[in-house]
Amino acid sequence: MTTRPPTPSRRTLLRALTALPASALVLGELPGLLGTAEAAAPTSGHATRYTIVPFLNSDDGTVNVYQSDDAADFRLLQSSAYTPPSNRIRDASIFKHANGYYYLTYTTHTWEDVSTTIGFARSADRVNWTFLYDYPVPITDLSRAWAPEWFVDSDGSVNVIVSCSTTDDEWIFTPYVLTATNSALTAWSSPVALSGIGSNHIDTYIVKVGSTYHAFTKNETAKYIEYGTAASLKGPYAISRTGDWAGWGSYREGPSVVQLDNGGWRIFFDGYGDGTYYYSDSYDTFATWSTPTALPTLSGTARHFTVIKEAVTGGASVTKNATRSFQSANYTTRYWEEQSALLNLPVVTGSSTAADKQAATFTVVAGLADSNGYSFRDASGNYLRHYDFRGRFDANDGTTTFAQDATFIARTGTTSGSVRFESYNYPGHYLRHYNYQLRVSLTDGTDLFRQDSSFVPVTSWA
């Protein structure tokens, strides 16, 4: 028996990121991004937005729309946002077209039924959807056309990857590509099988990085998500990772991959075998992955979805190269204060000592690891960083690890003017007060967590 190497720590994965050539982070394709690189914190006046449109474990006749600014804490935007006029909606994939509209493509029938069409719908705002048409996939003796996924190539061509089976063996699926032949997405090329992936693979999801196409596809026999690469969208793909190669386990399906603000990659997948939706991160172009984490609030509710990422106007920002104090959004008499080199949340008032007021005052500067992010400096020149998940102040030692530990991405808080600070190198982890101590903690998707991690930048005490 071969023993799989231990799952690498997130810090090990992040060190791998720093060793990558810049070309490895040039994004050739992601649905909705149309060939642009998305590997930096949002600029001032902008925010990152991730959108998913899952069907529900309890109802495959409609879909909800959720959005997130960190690809971990998804919040409901619209329930029952789209219900097709007939049939079902499963495995919905979303992307934003060059014409400004959002499009869905989806499976039109339940898994028990013959399903020879895929559906299409359109929206201007992700909330109000219009049915377009059901498209009969033109494959002789087609039995089922499942899990269509948008893929926009770096040349701008719009494609759908769809898993199809024929009547001679209705449960053996092969991935095919359809290419739009007009900008209205109403006409499609003849289906072409993706060479090299082979039969009995379903839910194939493609990401292009540089000139290489990366395929994540479920082996329907082994129930593992496999991985392969090709120099062309249509292949041939060389499947190089099989079995439990990434440590995700079996009975996993519906992979969707998106790039995070810090340049890493996050895969989402449906752990239908245990009723949990998971995500896992990679910082070495898909070679190794972090231990799967359950997606908060949506596990057991949402099923098979695609994630798209956009940069939108708005978002949180803090004035840089200025001194500020940071007031808790839900304990308004308490402020960040450095105490014995640790960041705590004591009460600070006008009658506090001059030393306390100085310790509650910080200089906001551009992020050491990403200038669009934020770093915080105390009066002695030490920087706020996380260490063993505790907020503390240390001298900058010039290492990449320190720079990442001391960089935070601003996300919108729960109250007007408040900001949440997400760890740059631990995505989904936020500066959060607990027992009046500041720690970097993984979001659990609750309102209380969001409140505890929201702070208002105010005029400095000193």
Side-chain angles (χ1 to χ4, degrees):
M1 176 182 295
T2 299
T3 302
R4 187 175 62 84
T7 301
S9 68
R10 192 185 299 266
R11 188 175 297 279
T12 298
L13 296 176
L14 282 155
R15 287 196 183 107
L17 173 64
T18 65
L20 291 174
S23 60
L25 298 180
V26 175
L27 178 63
E29 179 279 328
L30 264 186
L33 300 183
L34 299 178
T36 59
E38 292 290 319
T43 58
S44 179
H46 293 81
T48 299
R49 185 174 73 193
Y50 302 87
T51 302
I52 61 174
V53 187
F55 76 97
L56 306 180
N57 193 46
S58 59
D59 185 1
D60 64 359
T62 190
V63 289
N64 291 349
V65 179
Y66 299 85
Q67 66 181 18
S68 171
D69 57 7
D70 62 9
D73 183 6
F74 284 89
R75 295 279 161 147
L76 181 66
L77 176 65
Q78 182 65 48
S79 62
S80 299
Y82 173 63
T83 301
S86 61
N87 303 318
R88 318 309 292 167
I89 177 168
R90 300 171 66 92
D91 316 325
S93 178
I94 182 175
F95 94 110
K96 189 175 184 181
H97 196 13
N99 62 12
Y101 283 94
Y102 299 88
Y103 287 80
L104 289 180
T105 183
Y106 53 91
T107 304
T108 56
H109 291 77
T110 66
W111 68 271
E112 300 101 330
D113 299 330
V114 170
S115 181
T116 59
T117 60
I118 54 176
F120 291 88
R122 187 178 74 172
S123 173
D125 58 9
R126 301 175 299 139
V127 172
N128 301 287
W129 292 87
T130 300
F131 171 74
L132 295 178
Y133 60 94
D134 286 340
Y135 178 71
V137 179
I139 293 177
T140 302
D141 297 325
L142 180 65
S143 174
R144 286 168 172 78
W146 281 3
E149 294 283 357
W150 294 109
F151 175 82
V152 184
D153 211 335
S154 50
D155 62 3
S157 62
V158 178
N159 306 271
V160 170
I161 311 298
V162 59
S163 303
C164 297
S165 68
T166 52
T167 54
D168 58 337
D169 198 331
E170 60 185 353
W171 302 116
I172 300 297
F173 289 86
T174 298
Y176 288 80
V177 59
L178 310 171
T179 302
T181 57
N182 64 10
S183 60
L185 308 183
T186 57
W188 299 89
S189 66
S190 297
V192 176
L194 297 185
S195 173
I197 293 180
S199 62
N200 212 30
H201 285 82
I202 195 171
D203 298 350
T204 300
Y205 191 91
I206 306 293
V207 173
K208 187 181 183 185
V209 184
S211 60
T212 301
Y213 296 81
H214 302 257
F216 297 83
T217 183
K218 178 193 176 187
N219 183 313
E220 189 63 3
T221 298
K223 311 300 184 185
Y224 290 110
I225 295 172
E226 299 182 342
Y227 166 80
T229 57
S232 167
L233 173 59
K234 296 176 183 177
Y237 287 84
I239 300 297
S240 58
R241 300 289 186 270
T242 61
D244 195 17
W245 65 279
W248 300 327
S250 61
Y251 289 87
R252 308 294 189 241
E253 65 183 14
S256 178
V257 182
V258 68
Q259 194 168 31
L260 301 173
D261 284 342
N262 68 0
W265 296 87
R266 175 162 292 177
I267 187 171
F268 298 82
F269 52 85
D270 189 348
Y272 66 100
D274 56 27
T276 304
Y277 225 102
Y278 292 99
Y279 66 84
S280 175
D281 297 344
S282 176
Y283 290 89
D284 51 12
T285 317
F286 317 134
T288 57
W289 294 83
S290 64
T291 301
T293 300
L295 191 63
T297 71
L298 294 184
S299 286
T301 300
R303 298 295 309 277
H304 192 155
F305 55 73
T306 291
V307 184
I308 62 165
K309 177 184 179 183
E310 301 173 86
V312 297
T313 57
S317 64
V318 184
T319 301
K320 293 177 179 175
N321 300 314
T323 57
R324 290 290 183 268
S325 293
F326 293 88
Q327 178 187 42
S328 168
N330 58 347
Y331 287 80
T332 55
T333 62
R334 293 179 176 272
Y335 295 78
W336 289 10
E337 183 177 332
E338 181 182 357
Q339 296 178 327
S340 300
L342 298 176
L343 185 61
N344 293 324
L345 197 73
V347 172
V348 181
T349 70
S351 59
S352 295
T353 66
D356 281 333
K357 291 179 179 179
Q358 183 62 67
T361 297
F362 307 94
T363 301
V364 182
V365 298
L368 297 181
D370 184 329
S371 61
N372 291 336
Y374 297 86
S375 292
F376 306 93
R377 200 168 57 218
D378 68 10
S380 65
N382 291 335
Y383 285 85
L384 172 65
R385 54 92 62 95
H386 63 80
Y387 188 88
D388 285 340
F389 300 103
R390 187 70 163 91
R392 58 179 285 168
F393 289 84
D394 288 312
N396 183 2
D397 64 9
T399 64
T400 298
T401 295
F402 185 96
Q404 293 174 345
D405 285 352
T407 299
F408 299 86
I409 299 174
R411 308 295 190 192
T412 301
T414 56
T415 61
S416 177
S418 68
V419 181
R420 304 171 70 215
F421 293 104
E422 182 186 18
S423 168
Y424 179 80
N425 56 349
Y426 281 65
H429 290 67
Y430 287 83
L431 278 172
R432 184 251 181 116
H433 68 78
Y434 186 83
N435 286 340
Y436 307 124
Q437 298 177 344
L438 272 293
R439 300 179 178 276
V440 172
S441 301
L442 178 64
T443 179
D444 60 11
T446 63
D447 289 338
L448 178 60
F449 184 97
R450 291 172 64 85
Q451 293 162 6
D452 286 349
S453 57
S454 295
F455 303 93
V456 181
V458 296
T459 301
S460 60
W461 280 106

